[in-house]
Amino acid sequence: MGVRHWKTGRRILAVMLAGCMLLSSAGCGGSSQAGSENAGAQEEPEGAGREGQSGSGDEGQDGMQEEGQAGSENGASDGAQDGMAGGNKAGEATEEITDVTDTIPLNVIDDSYRTYYEVFVYSFCDSDGDGIGDLQGLISKLDYINDGDDSTDTDLGCNGIWLMPVNPSPTYHKYDVMDYYDIDAAYGTMEDFQELLAACERRGIKVIMDLVLNHSSSQNPWFMEACDYLRELGDGEPDVSECPSFAYYHFSKEKGAGCYAVEGTDWYYEAQFYSEMPDLNLDSEALRTEIEKIAGFWLDLGVGGFRLDAVKEFYTGNPKANIEFLSWFTGVVKERKEDAYLVGEAWLGISDYAQYYESGIDSLFNFAFADKGGIISKVVNGSPASRYGAESAALQETFGQYNENYIDAPFYTNHDMGRSAGYYAGENSEKQTKFAGAMNLLMSGSAFLYYGEELGMKGAGKDENKRAPMYWSKDAEKEGMCAGPPDMDAFEMKFDSLEEQEQESDSIYHYYKKVIRIRNQNPEIARGEVTYLEELSGDSFCVLRKQWEDSEIMLIFHTGEGTEELDLKNLTLNGAEISEKSIRGTLETGEEKVVVTGQKAVMPSYSILVLK
């Protein structure tokens, strides 16, 4: 029996069992205990993660990517066990019922709290056989991200897409824009883009675009026109009325730090990232008018908002000016489209990027929890589990003091970081890879998932390696497969491709799907006010309560390597004592299941219990 039919059959069984329990709890053999297998703050190094620089952004995975595959644990993806109050062992056929998450309807709210899937179009799906991903390829894979049908469980369940830059650019990464009003020809046409937006709207997916305002390409007509003007000017003084684009950049006759010569003149231009990425002069009123037109152009087409690149570099070394510009831009966008969503990239320590919320921007990426040096990875690698809880609760004051309406933007990895499969080595590496992904997706705010993390893709070192082709198949010649960025190193993946993982109920893929499903079933997870239960937390346990409106949910994370018991006595949730009936979902990374019996939770290594 195929996976789809097997799960459908289990849903039918779930409905029958649920009805039976309503009529007679004794007649259905006990409680619906779930037991499914499924589901730091750091300074950016100078030049790290920046496009176009030789050797930029190396993460140095210390060889861990190659290790730990042999010891990965297996566990049934949807084989949840009954309440086991009588001490029955997991796996007895008489106790097996459907996973509780299969019986709970989705509750996806159309607001700014979403689960975003970051797509690098170049490496995602190729529709025309040229080896480069394109918009038609992405359209063909939308059902993988979200098919728009709540009755199915064959999609990931993400309801947002962050598109890395799609504007015309001379580079593979496209963070140097030549034309802010068009689509790169390698990706398709404006008609393709409009088709993508329409297809996403039908599925309830909000699309946000990467908008690069810190710099443009040196091949942007604005810059070329300004340089030509300076060459023709000779010893004369520039007049912006003759060449408005002269004011769009930082030109000077003095060579400062990060400046390069305008060929054929005695002028220099500022380009802090790379010589072919001249910095834009955001003080220019004419340029701000142009930026307002650019934002309006894409918003009017149906884009749901923007991811703003390198916001701390708008005015390098001047946070106050950066925040002022962000405030201006946020006002411009919100006036045009009130529900547009803005998220900014400020790769700084948490106390520094928190200040950027003063601008009124919706979200800032939460770098404190991301990357191999962030809180999530540190906890999974042995730091006390309590740190995750304490830091999660502290975010509310850290960010809220600047903007009470902030929406956190947790992410675990992105295109500038080594893939998370390389953060863990040894026999528990697959368990840890899964568990860490759940820690990210169960955070409050709009969570972001980098394409391929749900497969445990690997990639480290230079930026091209971090943007390897989506691992649809092990057959590189299979339809839709991309060739990857130029100069990408040849390396093998650590875990199977989607083709295999779709058929493996205990795969990383199915685990991620379940985590997102639980997130979509329980709006308290993304929107709830966090209370950290310090008295129940410690080295291997972290307990969080989240309250949204009049509903509470509790998340219990167990990071220990062995099975441990947690006493839930005297705890109440939504006005009732906790019991087996409180279970909203369980996420296991191995064969052993989470068990709640009486007022105790027995939790195997790297497992999560969701109560409501």
Side-chain angles (χ1 to χ4, degrees):
M1 181 182 295
V3 172
R4 184 189 300 244
H5 297 133
W6 174 63
K7 296 184 82 171
T8 301
R10 292 168 64 80
R11 278 209 180 86
I12 295 171
L13 175 59
V15 173
M16 294 171 64
L17 285 167
C20 182
M21 280 194 274
L22 287 173
L23 292 172
S24 170
S25 58
C28 277
S31 62
S32 57
Q33 163 66 30
S36 166
E37 190 282 327
N38 295 331
Q42 54 186 339
E43 290 290 334
E44 177 187 16
E46 191 66 32
R50 294 303 173 202
E51 318 304 335
Q53 290 181 303
S54 60
S56 66
D58 288 357
E59 300 302 323
Q61 298 300 298
D62 301 324
M64 290 195 297
Q65 305 251 20
E66 309 299 333
E67 304 177 29
Q69 193 165 7
S72 60
E73 264 69 22
N74 296 320
S77 172
D78 294 284
Q81 304 300 319
D82 191 66
M84 294 184 274
N88 296 320
K89 295 180 179 179
E92 292 182 5
T94 56
E95 295 295 336
E96 185 172 0
I97 66 168
T98 192
D99 191 326
V100 67
T101 57
D102 286 342
T103 71
I104 299 172
L106 300 183
N107 188 8
V108 180
I109 300 171
D110 185 15
D111 62 7
S112 291
Y113 290 84
R114 292 178 179 261
T115 308
Y116 280 92
Y117 192 72
E118 180 189 355
V119 175
F120 180 42
V121 175
Y122 193 100
S123 289
F124 196 64
C125 182
D126 173 23
S127 72
D128 57 12
D130 65 357
I132 298 174
D134 45 54
L135 295 178
Q136 284 297 330
L138 174 56
I139 291 169
S140 73
K141 295 296 187 180
L142 284 179
D143 282 352
Y144 171 80
I145 299 170
N146 192 324
D147 63 9
D149 185 350
D150 287 355
S151 68
T152 70
D153 64 354
T154 53
D155 58 325
L156 280 175
C158 296
N159 60 342
I161 291 176
W162 158 22
L163 289 178
M164 289 173 63
V166 294
N167 301 118
S169 167
T171 61
Y172 84 92
H173 54 72
K174 311 204 182 305
Y175 275 99
D176 46 348
V177 177
M178 295 191 301
D179 183 352
Y180 284 91
Y181 295 95
D182 204 356
I183 298 296
D184 192 283
Y187 287 175
T189 65
M190 188 63 73
E191 288 72 27
D192 293 329
F193 187 76
Q194 291 174 303
E195 182 182 343
L196 170 67
L197 292 180
C200 286
E201 185 176 11
R202 290 193 296 272
R203 291 165 170 81
I205 299 172
K206 177 176 279 192
V207 177
I208 62 172
M209 289 178 62
D210 222 316
L211 188 57
V212 187
L213 299 178
N214 179 71
H215 51 262
S216 77
S217 168
S218 61
Q219 297 182 38
N220 189 299
W222 300 339
F223 186 72
M224 292 192 295
E225 178 185 67
C227 290
D228 287 343
Y229 172 72
L230 291 176
R231 278 188 280 268
E232 295 170 1
L233 186 64
D235 295 330
E237 288 297 317
D239 184 345
V240 293
S241 66
E242 296 177 354
C243 181
S245 61
F246 171 80
Y248 286 16
Y249 299 90
H250 297 284
F251 290 104
S252 172
K253 288 195 173 183
E254 295 183 8
K255 184 179 181 181
C259 289
Y260 299 86
V262 177
E263 187 178 353
T265 76
D266 57 356
W267 288 86
Y268 298 90
Y269 65 92
E270 184 180 4
Q272 294 292 338
F273 288 171
Y274 176 51
S275 62
E276 305 310 305
M277 292 179 172
D279 285 4
L280 290 167
N281 174 23
L282 299 177
D283 280 334
S284 166
E285 289 300 324
L287 177 58
R288 289 199 181 196
T289 299
E290 190 71 46
I291 289 171
E292 187 171 352
K293 291 178 183 177
I294 291 166
F297 175 82
W298 294 105
L299 291 171
D300 289 349
L301 276 178
V303 167
F306 303 102
R307 179 264 185 183
L308 301 176
D309 182 60
V311 302
K312 76 181 183 72
E313 305 298 341
F314 290 158
Y315 298 83
T316 301
N318 190 343
K320 184 177 179 180
N322 292 332
I323 292 168
E324 183 279 325
F325 178 81
L326 270 184
S327 180
W328 170 82
F329 185 76
T330 299
V332 164
V333 168
K334 297 294 185 178
E335 185 176 350
R336 191 70 170 246
K337 188 173 184 177
E338 187 177 1
D339 66 344
Y341 176 71
L342 296 175
V343 56
E345 178 211 23
W347 198 332
L348 295 163
I350 189 168
S351 61
D352 292 316
Y353 69 75
Q355 300 175 47
Y356 283 70
Y357 273 115
E358 190 178 338
S359 67
I361 193 171
D362 296 302
S363 297
L364 293 161
F365 285 115
N366 192 332
F367 281 90
F369 283 73
D371 207 353
K372 70 173 184 178
I375 291 169
I376 289 176
S377 180
K378 285 182 177 178
V379 167
V380 175
N381 269 319
S383 290
S386 56
R387 182 179 179 186
Y388 173 80
E391 297 283 358
S392 294
L395 294 174
Q396 293 162 151
E397 181 177 352
T398 302
F399 299 152
Q401 64 181 311
Y402 297 105
N403 180 359
E404 63 180 6
N405 297 314
Y406 81 91
I407 300 171
D408 192 18
F411 74 106
Y412 185 34
T413 66
N414 67 15
H415 57 279
D416 286 328
M417 298 174 176
R419 293 277 192 175
S420 66
Y423 300 174
Y424 312 107
E427 63 180 3
N428 287 322
S429 65
E430 183 175 345
K431 285 186 173 186
Q432 292 172 314
T433 299
K434 292 175 179 177
F435 185 80
M439 291 177 75
N440 172 57
L441 291 168
L442 295 178
M443 288 182 69
S444 298
S446 281
F448 284 76
L449 170 63
Y450 186 38
Y451 81 95
E453 287 294 295
E454 74 277 14
L455 303 177
M457 282 178 59
K458 83 176 209 181
K462 58 187 179 182
D463 288 342
E464 290 87 344
N465 297 347
K466 302 165 189 172
R467 303 163 196 184
M470 176 65 176
Y471 202 29
W472 303 111
S473 172
K474 291 180 178 178
D475 182 358
E477 302 303 317
K478 200 76 174 284
E479 182 179 354
M481 289 295 292
C482 300
D487 300 324
M488 183 185 76
D489 294 332
F491 56 91
E492 294 184 1
M493 290 295 167
K494 183 174 181 178
F495 300 108
D496 281 337
S497 75
L498 177 67
E499 284 184 341
E500 292 78 32
Q501 291 201 34
E502 279 183 317
Q503 306 304 316
E504 300 164 358
S505 61
D506 63 341
S507 66
I508 298 172
Y509 166 70
H510 281 294
Y511 182 91
Y512 263 85
K513 279 176 58 180
K514 187 178 179 187
V515 177
I516 296 171
R517 186 170 185 83
I518 290 173
R519 181 177 172 90
N520 286 338
Q521 289 167 340
N522 303 284
E524 303 89 346
I525 291 175
R527 297 161 185 81
E529 182 178 351
V530 178
T531 300
Y532 165 54
L533 302 186
E534 183 177 5
E535 67 277 12
L536 291 175
S537 304
D539 288 344
S540 60
F541 279 107
C542 172
V543 183
L544 297 176
R545 186 195 303 267
K546 296 189 181 186
Q547 181 167 347
W548 178 67
E549 295 183 342
D550 58 352
S551 179
E552 296 178 323
I553 199 164
M554 186 173 290
L555 305 174
I556 302 175
F557 301 84
H558 179 227
T559 62
E561 293 189 2
T563 299
E564 295 185 65
E565 185 178 281
L566 185 65
D567 192 349
L568 305 177
K569 188 177 180 181
N570 299 324
L571 273 182
T572 60
L573 194 60
N574 294 305
E577 289 188 344
I578 292 174
S579 68
E580 300 97 310
K581 296 178 182 178
S582 307
I583 296 172
R584 195 72 174 179
T586 63
L587 293 159
E588 296 94 353
T589 56
E591 294 182 354
E592 189 178 352
K593 304 301 175 183
V594 173
V595 178
V596 175
T597 177
Q599 290 184 303
K600 293 182 179 179
V602 180
M603 301 185 64
S605 60
Y606 304 108
S607 63
I608 300 171
L609 172 61
V610 182
L611 302 168
K612 188 172 175 179

